[in-house]
Amino acid sequence: MEPESLYNLLQLPGKVDPPAQEPLSQGEKKKFLPPTSRKDPKFEELQKVLMEWINTELLPEHIVVRSLEEDIFDGLILHHLFQKLTGVKLDVEEIALTSASQRRKLTAVLEAIGQSLQLEEPQAKWNVERIFNKDLLATLHLLVALAERFQPDLPLPTNVQVEVITMESTKSGLKSEKSVEQLTECSTDKDQDTKDAFDELFKLAPEKVNAVKEAIVNFVNQKLDRLGLSVQNLDTQFADGVILLLLIGQLEGFFLNLKEFYLTPNSPAEKLHNVALALELLKDEGLLNYPVSPEDIVEKDAKSTLRVLYSLFRKHKLKESMDRGSLGSPK
């Protein structure tokens, strides 16, 4: 079995959650998301992309985020994510179990993030109080800012807007006001140019997918022939990570100790370990520019598998096999 992540350990009974939100005091304002905003497809897609990005970044540390609303507030995820993105070690306590220590840690992490993003607190669309109280809007603003700064090629859905309700406590009672909040920028021509080629391929030219697969299968088998291996089905044979790791080792000159991966994986966790290791190696070599979820590979998602294999194909294709010129990016 894989070791339990530190984050999962902190979910055990006994973890102290922040106190329940108190009623608004006079003159206080708070924003709320109505159910219709929460169910907006683009709003849900934004959360999914951000969550997959965080989980890909933190996978080597066995940290898994399942809810942006519930898992970010205490500073643990932000601490590890910030360190991974910047390489800066923060002098904060690793395990914060009490409400006071969690708030203290979150404050230190947000200060470091603000300095890195060069934001003054009044400019930021989040603060300690809002993040600590699991304010989803503030959390999304924070994560979008981090992604735009450190992962500018992350395919965030464009022009995500949500209707919010601002409640204010006045002498005459509660007053509500509706407004629209912008979470991501509007689409531009530049944004269109950075769309992932495989999204376009599967959407606009599905009849060409098999041709791309055939070219990559030929390339892969040329490289695996030295190991006495061959691939017939890209969608299924890479799902356990074994052939993928062996292929990367052949192409990139890695010696993979058998203790580092499972040669005959018998469980989904072992397959996930293998694929995660492979993606980390590709990322370290600067080959994987598009975020790919290890779970998608294990679940035999054709598009994700092609993305990974194409990153190797693009770098290592054999010149003598390209009689018709470079295949280039799928169009």
Side-chain angles (χ1 to χ4, degrees):
M1 288 181 63
E2 292 206 38
E4 284 187 280
S5 70
L6 173 62
Y7 184 77
N8 288 337
L9 289 176
L10 292 182
Q11 302 308 301
L12 292 172
K15 181 181 178 184
V16 180
D17 284 333
Q21 293 185 6
E22 298 176 359
L24 297 180
S25 56
Q26 188 170 321
E28 186 180 5
K29 289 183 178 180
K30 280 192 178 179
K31 293 179 180 179
F32 298 92
L33 279 169
T36 51
S37 292
R38 289 179 176 272
K39 293 178 182 178
D40 181 273
K42 293 189 74 172
F43 184 69
E44 292 180 334
E45 176 66 15
L46 175 62
Q47 293 178 73
K48 180 183 176 183
V49 172
L50 288 170
M51 196 152 28
E52 288 181 352
W53 169 57
I54 295 171
N55 286 336
T56 300
E57 292 288 340
L58 300 183
L59 194 66
E61 301 178 51
H62 304 286
I63 292 177
V64 179
V65 175
R66 295 182 176 86
S67 166
L68 297 181
E69 194 165 14
E70 295 295 327
D71 294 349
I72 303 296
F73 80 93
D74 60 4
L76 176 67
I77 301 296
L78 290 174
H79 173 204
H80 284 264
L81 180 63
F82 179 76
Q83 289 192 155
K84 181 70 186 297
L85 295 175
T86 65
V88 176
K89 299 295 182 184
L90 299 181
D91 185 19
V92 296
E93 52 194 315
E94 181 64 40
I95 301 177
L97 294 177
T98 67
S99 179
S101 62
Q102 288 172 349
R103 186 187 292 269
R104 190 164 55 244
K105 177 173 182 171
L106 178 63
T107 301
V109 174
L110 289 183
E111 285 178 357
I113 290 174
Q115 291 172 6
S116 180
L117 296 176
Q118 299 181 336
L119 284 176
E120 297 293 334
E121 189 166 335
Q123 294 177 281
K125 297 176 181 178
W126 62 85
N127 56 37
V128 174
E129 216 47 49
R130 292 183 66 185
I131 300 295
F132 192 67
N133 284 321
K134 303 181 181 180
D135 184 316
L136 183 56
L137 271 178
T139 300
L140 289 174
H141 278 304
L142 170 59
L143 295 176
V144 167
L146 284 171
E148 289 177 344
R149 169 66 176 82
F150 296 105
Q151 188 76 47
D153 58 344
L154 188 69
L156 297 175
T158 58
N159 198 28
V160 179
Q161 298 176 322
V162 289
E163 184 180 79
V164 298
I165 299 175
T166 302
M167 302 292 295
E168 180 181 7
S169 177
T170 66
K171 290 182 179 179
S172 56
L174 287 176
K175 185 175 76 173
S176 65
E177 183 179 78
K178 288 185 178 181
S179 61
V180 174
E181 192 142 339
Q182 190 85 27
L183 285 163
T184 62
E185 296 179 353
C186 295
S187 177
T188 64
D189 291 339
K190 183 179 178 181
D191 294 330
Q192 296 299 322
D193 292 340
T194 60
K195 276 190 176 181
D196 177 62
F198 284 100
D199 283 329
E200 299 300 314
L201 180 69
F202 274 72
K203 181 179 179 181
L204 301 177
E207 70 282 358
K208 295 182 181 179
V209 171
N210 286 335
V212 175
K213 285 184 178 181
E214 184 178 347
I216 294 178
V217 164
N218 290 336
F219 161 76
V220 168
N221 283 334
Q222 286 173 353
K223 299 302 181 181
L224 292 178
D225 184 59
R226 305 167 201 171
L227 300 177
L229 298 172
S230 66
V231 168
Q232 284 78 43
N233 192 323
L234 292 186
D235 297 348
T236 61
Q237 287 185 260
F238 290 89
D240 63 8
V242 176
I243 293 181
L244 182 57
L245 283 169
L246 295 174
L247 177 64
I248 293 171
Q250 277 288 105
L251 294 173
E252 298 296 317
F254 288 128
F255 172 74
L256 293 172
N257 193 307
L258 291 178
K259 294 181 180 179
E260 295 179 5
F261 69 102
Y262 298 95
L263 190 58
T264 55
N266 294 315
S267 69
E270 292 178 354
K271 294 177 183 179
L272 193 62
H273 171 88
N274 285 353
V275 174
L277 174 60
L279 296 185
E280 191 65 22
L281 291 173
L282 290 176
K283 191 173 179 183
D284 288 344
E285 292 299 304
L287 295 179
L288 197 59
N289 298 319
Y290 191 96
V292 175
S293 168
E295 288 86 353
D296 288 342
I297 304 292
V298 174
E299 292 172 5
K300 304 174 183 176
D301 178 73
K303 193 189 301 182
S304 298
T305 303
L306 274 176
R307 283 191 179 111
V308 171
L309 294 173
Y310 183 75
S311 71
L312 288 164
F313 175 88
R314 183 177 52 196
K315 179 180 178 181
H316 296 282
K317 59 190 173 182
L318 296 175
K319 291 182 180 179
E320 60 267 28
S321 68
M322 295 294 114
D323 296 332
R324 292 178 291 118
S326 172
L327 178 67
S329 294
K331 295 180 182 179

